[in-house]
């Protein structure tokens, strides 16, 4: 009891309780949407929308969002506009400067709004626009919130064929931010009724890795391997090159001076994108489309062609669709082989990652069903079907397989990083095959490492 009396007499406790007695606390009424929108605009946002936590479009994120801010009720989605010509130039230093500074601005907008709301007694949190992320979870989901799906739900645009959100006014020259709050809002925004994407396919034309296909297919690993070379997995591959080099001469035979300088620049200033040409050439958006409508040939000559003709290194996994794309379409670009940086460290991660690294052009002549049974550290059964350049992965065993693979989990994951272990694993029965081994070779061709 003495301890309780001591707490009751503490000056901070006395002041807070007096304030409460005077009614100086936040009202339980919803925040006014107009006021909240203006608060975000005054902080530097260029457009704002509000999404309630139980919106179906973000249902798959709800558990993670509630873990980040218990009691979250609303997501504030906002966009910050980038300067277009900075993104369009073949000088990627200029483009990356724009990405970084607009990203910093987006984070500052979120931080300012959170500070204002917190001062009012509203619990609020602003995850990073891009980086840093929860890298202890890499290579699986490292982000706190998927800004794109929230922005679409909030009516700030739609996803284009290039997988970027296109704002109806600013086009795809935007970066996205999200703020989580534990208060209701008086009015919510809804998705727009049309897609600003023109389906002009200029993003398909300009992408140096062929990651964007005209039929809507997206080769995630092709984009990730090149454009994000100096992020995450690409950095890990470079670090392995350093570790494996016998001496300075051997290192220089693996990594050029310009590549070393570029990695240093990313480490000292912030990781730099290698392309993002899909954003550069996109003419969608009310503020953007005018010059393209007036003279499409000029847009092609001044914006698209310089990016396509630029002499540069494109990073590809050996045997990937991207390697063939560069050889077929970009005579001024050269490829450099790198290891697949999307390496699974669990069977769950492997299953999630298969669609991301699938190379459909390598599977054009395939028609096969595989039954996988994983044992040991993780137990799981999956069926993988590859047919007509399409991949289907389902839990459990379904249909009659062409090849059955039973594998110890730890051994299989090691094999993915080092295929030469296969013979050793087969002899020791840690990997067992029922069916033609040729089918395993064909399977590997669809997922080059």
């Amino acid at each position: 009891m003495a301890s309780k009396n001591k707490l009751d007499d503490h000056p901070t406790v006395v002041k807070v309780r007096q304030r409460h007695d005077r009614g100086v606390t936040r009202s339980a009424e919803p925040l006014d949407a107009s006021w909240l929108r203006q608060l975000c605009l005054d902080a530097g946002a260029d457009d704002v929308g509000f999404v309630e936590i139980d919106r179906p479009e973000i249902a798959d994120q709800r558990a993670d969002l509630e873990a980040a801010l218990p009691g979250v009720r609303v997501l504030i989605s906002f966009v910050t506009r980038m300067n277009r010509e900075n993104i369009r130039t073949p000088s990627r230093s200029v483009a990356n400067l724009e990405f970084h500074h607009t990203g910093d601005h987006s984070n500052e907008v979120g931080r300012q709004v959170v500070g204002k709301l917190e001062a009012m007694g509203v619990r609020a949190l602003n995850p990073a626009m891009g980086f840093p992320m929860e890298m202890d979870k890499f290579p699986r989901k490292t982000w706190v919130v998927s800004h794109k799906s929230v922005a679409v739900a909030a009516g700030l645009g739609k996803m284009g064929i290039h997988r970027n959100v296109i704002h109806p006014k600013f086009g795809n020259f935007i970066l996205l931010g999200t703020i989580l709050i534990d208060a209701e809002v008086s009015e919510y925004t809804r998705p727009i009724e049309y897609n600003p994407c023109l389906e002009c396919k200029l993003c398909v034309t300009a992408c140096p890795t062929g990651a964007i296909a005209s039929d809507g297919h997206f080769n995630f690993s092709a984009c990730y391997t090149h454009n994000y070379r100096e992020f995450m997995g690409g950095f890990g591959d470079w670090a392995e090159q350093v570790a494996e080099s016998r001496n300075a001469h051997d290192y220089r035979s693996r990594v050029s001076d310009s590549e070393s300088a570029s990695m240093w620049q990313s480490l000292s200033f912030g990781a730099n994108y290698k392309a993002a040409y899909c954003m550069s050439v996109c003419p969608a958006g009310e503020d953007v489309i005018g010059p393209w409508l007036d003279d499409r040939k000029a847009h092609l000559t001044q914006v698209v062609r310089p990016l396509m003709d630029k002499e540069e290194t494109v990073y590809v996994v050996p045997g990937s669709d991207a390697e063939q794309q560069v050889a077929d379409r970009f005579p001024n670009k050269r490829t450099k082989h790198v290891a697949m940086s999307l390496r699974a460290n669990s069977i769950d991660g492997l299953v999630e990652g298969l669609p991301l690294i699938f190379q459909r052009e390598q599977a054009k002549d395939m028609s096969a069903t595989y039954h996988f049974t994983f044992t040991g550290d993780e137990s799981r059964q999956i069926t993988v079907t590859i047919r007509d350049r399409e991949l289907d992965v389902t839990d459990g065993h379904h249909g009659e397989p062409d090849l059955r693979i039973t594998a110890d989990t730890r051994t299989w994951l090691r094999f993915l990083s080092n295929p030469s272990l296969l013979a050793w694993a087969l002899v020791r029965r840690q990997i067992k095959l029922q069916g033609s081994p040729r089918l395993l070779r064909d399977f590997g061709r669809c997922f080059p490492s």
Side-chain angles (χ1 to χ4, degrees):
M1 182 63 69
S3 177
K4 180 179 185 302
N5 290 337
K6 187 175 180 180
L7 179 64
D8 289 340
D9 294 336
H10 192 283
T12 301
V13 176
V14 172
K15 287 183 179 180
V16 169
R17 287 177 173 168
Q18 288 175 345
R19 195 164 60 209
H20 183 270
D21 291 341
R22 295 196 303 270
V24 186
T25 56
R26 182 175 74 85
S27 170
E29 292 293 316
L31 299 174
D32 180 75
S34 297
W35 171 84
L36 185 56
R37 173 181 171 79
Q38 192 59 51
L39 175 67
C40 295
L41 295 177
D42 289 344
D46 289 295
D47 201 1
V48 187
F50 309 115
V51 181
E52 57 273 55
I53 190 62
D54 58 1
R55 190 80 70 84
E57 298 98 308
I58 58 170
D60 61 335
Q61 298 192 64
R62 183 162 183 171
D64 289 339
L65 295 172
E66 290 180 338
L69 182 70
V72 59
R73 299 183 187 182
V74 172
L75 307 182
I76 304 172
S77 180
F78 65 90
V79 303
T80 53
R81 187 186 61 81
M82 291 190 288
N83 295 314
R84 293 191 295 275
E85 297 305 324
N86 285 348
I87 302 301
R88 286 174 168 169
T89 178
S91 301
R92 301 322 291 169
S93 63
V94 178
N96 278 297
L97 192 66
E98 186 67 23
F99 280 123
H100 280 294
H101 282 303
T102 308
D104 290 342
H105 174 60
S106 296
N107 288 328
E108 185 57 31
V109 169
R111 188 171 182 276
Q112 280 194 44
V113 173
V114 164
K116 296 284 188 182
L117 292 174
E118 191 172 275
M120 296 171 49
V122 177
R123 294 173 57 244
L125 176 148
N126 61 302
M129 178 284 303
F131 296 89
M133 290 187 174
E134 306 294 302
M135 299 314 293
D136 59 309
K137 300 176 182 177
F138 181 81
R140 301 182 71 182
K141 183 176 181 289
T142 59
W143 52 95
V144 175
V145 57
S146 177
H147 299 298
K148 291 182 180 181
S149 56
V150 177
V152 171
L156 299 183
K158 293 277 192 182
M159 295 278 276
I161 191 175
H162 54 10
R163 304 313 195 271
N164 295 307
V165 173
I166 302 177
H167 187 274
K169 181 176 175 62
F170 309 128
N172 75 175
F173 295 96
I174 56 172
L175 293 181
L176 306 172
T178 307
I179 299 169
L180 286 60
I181 64 175
D182 75 342
E184 301 286 354
V185 177
S186 64
E187 185 178 352
Y188 300 101
T189 50
R190 298 292 164 184
I192 59 177
E193 295 181 351
Y194 71 100
N195 193 332
C197 179
L198 306 169
E199 296 194 8
C200 61
K201 309 295 176 65
L202 288 177
C203 54
V204 177
T205 301
C207 179
T209 66
I212 309 164
S214 57
D215 63 359
H217 176 75
F218 184 66
N219 186 333
F220 177 87
S221 66
C223 174
Y224 178 88
T225 299
H226 175 63
N227 195 32
Y228 292 82
R229 172 63 185 166
E230 291 166 13
F231 293 73
M232 304 175 291
F235 169 79
D237 181 65
W238 171 78
E240 289 175 3
Q241 294 294 314
V242 174
E244 292 175 358
S245 298
R246 296 185 301 275
N247 49 44
H249 177 75
D250 186 31
Y251 170 78
R252 287 195 294 270
S253 72
R254 299 166 183 255
V255 183
S256 69
D257 289 347
S258 64
E259 287 176 304
S260 294
S262 184
M263 190 63 73
W264 165 81
Q265 179 173 260
S266 283
L267 290 172
S268 60
F269 175 71
N272 289 316
Y273 301 96
K274 289 296 185 184
Y277 297 168
C278 55
M279 296 183 71
S280 304
V281 301
C282 182
E286 295 170 17
D287 285 0
V288 185
I289 197 172
W292 179 75
L293 287 177
D294 292 340
D295 192 341
R296 299 186 193 185
K297 184 177 180 181
H299 183 83
L300 186 66
T301 302
Q302 297 171 10
V303 179
V304 182
R305 183 55 64 183
L307 298 173
M308 295 179 65
D309 292 343
K310 181 180 180 181
E311 296 184 5
E312 61 185 328
T313 298
V314 178
Y315 295 91
V316 300
V317 174
S320 64
D321 293 348
E323 182 177 27
Q324 190 61 49
Q325 171 78 4
V326 178
D328 290 345
R329 298 197 60 248
F330 297 100
N332 291 340
K333 302 185 191 300
R334 56 196 174 276
T335 58
K336 181 164 185 176
H337 289 168
V338 296
M340 171 62 73
S341 55
L342 291 167
R343 295 194 296 262
N345 54 21
S346 68
I347 296 302
D348 287 346
L350 170 67
V351 174
E352 291 174 6
L354 284 175
L356 301 179
I357 62 176
F358 177 63
Q359 305 295 299
R360 67 173 184 170
E361 297 307 320
Q362 307 303 316
K364 59 186 176 183
D365 299 322
M366 283 188 63
S367 179
T369 298
Y370 300 81
H371 281 182
F372 286 88
T373 301
F374 296 105
T375 61
D377 292 351
E378 295 179 74
S379 296
R380 188 167 180 179
Q381 294 182 336
I382 62 170
T383 298
V384 177
T385 302
I386 301 174
R387 183 174 293 113
D388 298 327
R389 300 193 311 158
E390 296 290 337
L391 172 73
D392 181 66
V393 182
T394 56
D395 269 313
H397 289 164
H398 307 280
E400 186 63 28
D402 298 289
L403 180 64
R404 289 185 173 90
I405 303 106
T406 302
D408 168 71
T409 292
R410 191 173 300 179
T411 303
W412 185 261
L413 293 174
R414 288 176 59 203
F415 159 64
L416 295 179
S417 298
N418 185 3
S420 64
L421 289 175
L422 179 60
W424 175 90
L426 289 171
V427 169
R428 287 161 177 75
R429 305 283 290 169
Q430 291 183 329
I431 296 178
K432 304 173 187 176
L433 305 179
Q434 289 179 269
S436 171
R438 175 183 59 81
L439 291 171
L440 185 58
R441 181 199 65 195
D442 294 342
F443 183 88
R445 192 176 70 238
C446 300
F447 306 94
S449 60

Short mmCIF file of all heavy atoms in Angstrom, two decimals, residues 198-228:
data_model
loop_
_atom_site.label_atom_id
_atom_site.label_comp_id
_atom_site.label_asym_id
_atom_site.label_seq_id
_atom_site.Cartn_x
_atom_site.Cartn_y
_atom_site.Cartn_z
N LEU A 198 -1.91 2.73 -69.82
CA LEU A 198 -2.34 2.83 -71.22
C LEU A 198 -2.10 1.54 -71.99
O LEU A 198 -2.51 1.43 -73.15
CB LEU A 198 -1.58 3.97 -71.91
CG LEU A 198 -1.67 5.34 -71.21
CD1 LEU A 198 -0.67 6.30 -71.84
CD2 LEU A 198 -3.08 5.88 -71.30
N GLU A 199 -1.41 0.59 -71.37
CA GLU A 199 -1.01 -0.66 -72.03
C GLU A 199 -0.29 -0.38 -73.35
O GLU A 199 -0.46 -1.07 -74.35
CB GLU A 199 -2.22 -1.57 -72.24
CG GLU A 199 -2.84 -2.03 -70.92
CD GLU A 199 -3.81 -3.18 -71.08
OE1 GLU A 199 -3.91 -3.73 -72.19
OE2 GLU A 199 -4.47 -3.52 -70.08
N CYS A 200 0.53 0.67 -73.32
CA CYS A 200 1.32 1.04 -74.50
C CYS A 200 2.50 0.10 -74.72
O CYS A 200 3.12 0.09 -75.79
CB CYS A 200 1.83 2.47 -74.36
SG CYS A 200 2.92 2.72 -72.93
N LYS A 201 2.84 -0.66 -73.68
CA LYS A 201 3.92 -1.66 -73.71
C LYS A 201 5.32 -1.05 -73.85
O LYS A 201 6.27 -1.76 -74.19
CB LYS A 201 3.69 -2.69 -74.82
CG LYS A 201 2.30 -3.32 -74.82
CD LYS A 201 2.03 -4.16 -73.60
CE LYS A 201 0.62 -4.71 -73.57
NZ LYS A 201 0.32 -5.65 -74.63
N LEU A 202 5.46 0.24 -73.59
CA LEU A 202 6.80 0.83 -73.64
C LEU A 202 7.69 0.27 -72.54
O LEU A 202 8.91 0.14 -72.72
CB LEU A 202 6.71 2.35 -73.52
CG LEU A 202 6.17 3.09 -74.75
CD1 LEU A 202 6.06 4.58 -74.47
CD2 LEU A 202 7.04 2.84 -75.97
N CYS A 203 7.09 -0.09 -71.41
CA CYS A 203 7.87 -0.71 -70.33
C CYS A 203 8.40 -2.06 -70.77
O CYS A 203 9.52 -2.45 -70.41
CB CYS A 203 7.03 -0.83 -69.06
SG CYS A 203 5.45 -1.70 -69.27
N VAL A 204 7.61 -2.78 -71.57
CA VAL A 204 8.05 -4.06 -72.12
C VAL A 204 9.24 -3.84 -73.04
O VAL A 204 10.23 -4.58 -73.00
CB VAL A 204 6.90 -4.74 -72.89
CG1 VAL A 204 7.37 -6.03 -73.53
CG2 VAL A 204 5.71 -5.00 -71.97
N THR A 205 9.15 -2.80 -73.87
CA THR A 205 10.21 -2.49 -74.83
C THR A 205 11.51 -2.11 -74.15
O THR A 205 12.60 -2.53 -74.57
CB THR A 205 9.76 -1.34 -75.74
OG1 THR A 205 8.57 -1.72 -76.43
CG2 THR A 205 10.83 -0.98 -76.75
N ALA A 206 11.43 -1.33 -73.09
CA ALA A 206 12.63 -0.75 -72.48
C ALA A 206 13.31 -1.65 -71.46
O ALA A 206 14.51 -1.48 -71.20
CB ALA A 206 12.29 0.58 -71.82
N CYS A 207 12.59 -2.60 -70.87
CA CYS A 207 13.17 -3.41 -69.79
C CYS A 207 14.36 -4.21 -70.31
O CYS A 207 14.21 -5.05 -71.21
CB CYS A 207 12.12 -4.35 -69.21
SG CYS A 207 12.79 -5.41 -67.90
N PRO A 208 15.55 -4.00 -69.79
CA PRO A 208 16.73 -4.68 -70.33
C PRO A 208 16.78 -6.17 -70.03
O PRO A 208 17.50 -6.91 -70.70
CB PRO A 208 17.89 -3.95 -69.64
CG PRO A 208 17.31 -3.41 -68.38
CD PRO A 208 15.89 -3.07 -68.70
N THR A 209 16.01 -6.63 -69.05
CA THR A 209 16.06 -8.04 -68.68
C THR A 209 14.87 -8.84 -69.20
O THR A 209 14.81 -10.05 -68.99
CB THR A 209 16.09 -8.20 -67.15
OG1 THR A 209 14.86 -7.73 -66.59
CG2 THR A 209 17.25 -7.43 -66.55
N GLY A 210 13.92 -8.17 -69.85
CA GLY A 210 12.72 -8.87 -70.31
C GLY A 210 11.82 -9.30 -69.17
O GLY A 210 11.00 -10.22 -69.32
N ALA A 211 11.93 -8.65 -68.03
CA ALA A 211 11.12 -9.04 -66.87
C ALA A 211 9.64 -8.80 -67.10
O ALA A 211 8.80 -9.49 -66.52
CB ALA A 211 11.59 -8.27 -65.63
N ILE A 212 9.31 -7.81 -67.95
CA ILE A 212 7.91 -7.47 -68.21
C ILE A 212 7.53 -8.00 -69.58
O ILE A 212 8.14 -7.63 -70.59
CB ILE A 212 7.70 -5.94 -68.16
CG1 ILE A 212 8.30 -5.35 -66.88
CG2 ILE A 212 6.21 -5.60 -68.27
CD1 ILE A 212 8.47 -3.86 -66.93
N ALA A 213 6.54 -8.87 -69.62
CA ALA A 213 6.11 -9.46 -70.89
C ALA A 213 4.83 -8.79 -71.37
O ALA A 213 4.03 -8.29 -70.57
CB ALA A 213 5.88 -10.97 -70.74
N SER A 214 4.63 -8.78 -72.66
CA SER A 214 3.47 -8.10 -73.24
C SER A 214 2.15 -8.75 -72.84
O SER A 214 1.11 -8.10 -72.89
CB SER A 214 3.59 -8.06 -74.77
OG SER A 214 3.70 -9.37 -75.29
N ASP A 215 2.20 -10.02 -72.44
CA ASP A 215 0.96 -10.70 -72.03
C ASP A 215 0.67 -10.53 -70.53
O ASP A 215 -0.24 -11.14 -69.99
CB ASP A 215 1.01 -12.18 -72.39
CG ASP A 215 2.12 -12.95 -71.67
OD1 ASP A 215 2.87 -12.32 -70.89
OD2 ASP A 215 2.23 -14.17 -71.90
N GLY A 216 1.48 -9.71 -69.86
CA GLY A 216 1.25 -9.45 -68.44
C GLY A 216 2.11 -10.26 -67.50
O GLY A 216 2.13 -10.00 -66.29
N HIS A 217 2.85 -11.24 -68.02
CA HIS A 217 3.72 -12.05 -67.16
C HIS A 217 4.86 -11.19 -66.63
O HIS A 217 5.38 -10.31 -67.33
CB HIS A 217 4.28 -13.23 -67.96
CG HIS A 217 5.25 -14.07 -67.17
ND1 HIS A 217 4.85 -14.95 -66.20
CD2 HIS A 217 6.61 -14.15 -67.23
CE1 HIS A 217 5.91 -15.54 -65.69
NE2 HIS A 217 6.99 -15.08 -66.28
N PHE A 218 5.26 -11.46 -65.38
CA PHE A 218 6.36 -10.71 -64.77
C PHE A 218 7.39 -11.68 -64.23
O PHE A 218 7.08 -12.56 -63.42
CB PHE A 218 5.84 -9.82 -63.64
CG PHE A 218 6.91 -8.95 -63.02
CD1 PHE A 218 7.51 -7.95 -63.76
CD2 PHE A 218 7.30 -9.13 -61.71
CE1 PHE A 218 8.49 -7.14 -63.20
CE2 PHE A 218 8.28 -8.34 -61.14
CZ PHE A 218 8.88 -7.33 -61.88
N ASN A 219 8.62 -11.56 -64.71
CA ASN A 219 9.73 -12.39 -64.26
C ASN A 219 10.43 -11.66 -63.12
O ASN A 219 11.33 -10.84 -63.33
CB ASN A 219 10.70 -12.65 -65.42
CG ASN A 219 11.80 -13.64 -65.06
OD1 ASN A 219 12.17 -13.77 -63.90
ND2 ASN A 219 12.33 -14.32 -66.07
N PHE A 220 10.00 -11.95 -61.91
CA PHE A 220 10.49 -11.23 -60.74
C PHE A 220 12.00 -11.35 -60.59
O PHE A 220 12.70 -10.37 -60.33
CB PHE A 220 9.80 -11.75 -59.48
CG PHE A 220 10.28 -11.11 -58.21
CD1 PHE A 220 9.72 -9.93 -57.76
CD2 PHE A 220 11.31 -11.67 -57.48
CE1 PHE A 220 10.18 -9.33 -56.59
CE2 PHE A 220 11.78 -11.08 -56.31
CZ PHE A 220 11.20 -9.91 -55.87
N SER A 221 12.53 -12.57 -60.74
CA SER A 221 13.95 -12.77 -60.48
C SER A 221 14.82 -12.04 -61.49
O SER A 221 15.93 -11.60 -61.16
CB SER A 221 14.29 -14.27 -60.48
OG SER A 221 14.11 -14.84 -61.75
N ALA A 222 14.34 -11.88 -62.74
CA ALA A 222 15.12 -11.15 -63.73
C ALA A 222 15.28 -9.69 -63.32
O ALA A 222 16.38 -9.12 -63.39
CB ALA A 222 14.45 -11.24 -65.10
N CYS A 223 14.18 -9.08 -62.87
CA CYS A 223 14.22 -7.70 -62.40
C CYS A 223 15.09 -7.58 -61.16
O CYS A 223 15.96 -6.72 -61.05
CB CYS A 223 12.79 -7.22 -62.11
SG CYS A 223 12.68 -5.57 -61.38
N TYR A 224 14.86 -8.47 -60.21
CA TYR A 224 15.56 -8.42 -58.93
C TYR A 224 17.07 -8.60 -59.10
O TYR A 224 17.86 -7.87 -58.49
CB TYR A 224 14.98 -9.51 -58.03
CG TYR A 224 15.61 -9.63 -56.67
CD1 TYR A 224 15.14 -8.87 -55.60
CD2 TYR A 224 16.65 -10.52 -56.44
CE1 TYR A 224 15.71 -8.99 -54.34
CE2 TYR A 224 17.23 -10.64 -55.19
CZ TYR A 224 16.74 -9.88 -54.14
OH TYR A 224 17.31 -10.00 -52.91
N THR A 225 17.47 -9.56 -59.93
CA THR A 225 18.88 -9.87 -60.09
C THR A 225 19.66 -8.69 -60.65
O THR A 225 20.78 -8.39 -60.20
CB THR A 225 19.06 -11.09 -61.01
OG1 THR A 225 18.41 -12.22 -60.42
CG2 THR A 225 20.53 -11.41 -61.22
N HIS A 226 19.08 -7.97 -61.61
CA HIS A 226 19.79 -6.83 -62.22
C HIS A 226 19.53 -5.53 -61.49
O HIS A 226 20.47 -4.89 -60.98
CB HIS A 226 19.38 -6.68 -63.68
CG HIS A 226 19.97 -5.47 -64.34
ND1 HIS A 226 21.34 -5.30 -64.50
CD2 HIS A 226 19.39 -4.35 -64.85
CE1 HIS A 226 21.57 -4.13 -65.07
NE2 HIS A 226 20.41 -3.53 -65.29
N ASN A 227 18.28 -5.12 -61.42
CA ASN A 227 17.98 -3.80 -60.89
C ASN A 227 18.40 -3.64 -59.43
O ASN A 227 18.79 -2.57 -59.00
CB ASN A 227 16.48 -3.51 -61.04
CG ASN A 227 16.16 -2.04 -60.86
OD1 ASN A 227 16.95 -1.18 -61.18
ND2 ASN A 227 14.99 -1.76 -60.31
N TYR A 228 18.33 -4.72 -58.67
CA TYR A 228 18.67 -4.68 -57.25
C TYR A 228 20.04 -5.31 -56.98
O TYR A 228 20.28 -5.84 -55.90
CB TYR A 228 17.59 -5.40 -56.43
CG TYR A 228 16.27 -4.68 -56.43
CD1 TYR A 228 15.37 -4.82 -57.48
CD2 TYR A 228 15.92 -3.82 -55.39
CE1 TYR A 228 14.16 -4.14 -57.50
CE2 TYR A 228 14.72 -3.15 -55.39
CZ TYR A 228 13.84 -3.31 -56.45
OH TYR A 228 12.65 -2.63 -56.45
#
